[in-house]
């Protein structure tokens, strides 16, 4: 039995990307820009923002329509390379 990574998802599919970092002025703009490079323009209803109890950290959930595994890998790689991003789920 073969089990390719593509078999896990039925593309295209909705896919949430959760990104955490320190609450910096450009965090949301930078993360959205990175995702938009791979998906096209995001709409406000695709983005959920949560702040830590003391507003030191921010969590951004971006819901995209993922078209293939390569797209997800590219987004993940670009977000990992961003100095504002602490970690990604």
């Amino acid at each position: 039995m073969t089990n390719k990574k593509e078999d896990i998802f039925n593309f295209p599919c909705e896919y949430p990307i959760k990104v955490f970092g320190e609450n910096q002025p450009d965090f949301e703009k930078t993360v959205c820009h990175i995702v938009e490079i791979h998906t096209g323009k995001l709409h406000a209803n695709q983005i959920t923002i949560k702040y830590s109890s003391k507003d030191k950290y921010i969590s951004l959930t971006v819901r995209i329509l993922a078209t293939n595994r390569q797209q997800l890998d590219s987004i993940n790689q670009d977000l990992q390379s961003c100095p504002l991003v602490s970690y990604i789920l």
Side-chain angles (χ1 to χ4, degrees):
M1 182 174 150
T2 62
N3 188 8
K4 299 186 311 184
K5 288 182 182 179
E6 291 283 332
D7 295 339
I8 297 171
F9 301 101
N10 292 318
F11 292 106
C13 64
E14 282 192 39
Y15 188 85
I17 302 167
K18 193 161 198 166
V19 185
F20 297 88
E22 287 190 26
N23 189 359
Q24 301 284 330
D26 290 335
F27 183 81
E28 179 184 359
K29 180 179 158 185
T30 301
V31 168
C32 289
H33 175 71
I34 291 169
V35 174
E36 286 177 336
I37 290 169
H38 303 282
T39 64
K41 181 87 172 122
L42 293 171
H43 299 280
N45 64 350
Q46 291 176 267
I47 304 162
T48 304
I49 303 169
K50 292 185 180 179
Y51 297 92
S52 65
S53 59
K54 296 186 182 188
D55 287 340
K56 182 175 180 178
Y57 298 97
I58 185 171
S59 157
L60 218 66
T61 302
V62 182
R63 289 173 185 77
I64 65 165
L65 182 61
T67 56
N68 58 56
R69 184 64 190 208
Q70 182 181 0
Q71 177 192 40
L72 295 177
D73 291 344
S74 296
I75 293 169
N76 189 48
Q77 183 177 10
D78 288 354
L79 287 171
Q80 286 178 353
S81 298
C82 178
L84 296 178
V85 174
S86 297
Y87 59 99
I88 307 160
L89 292 180

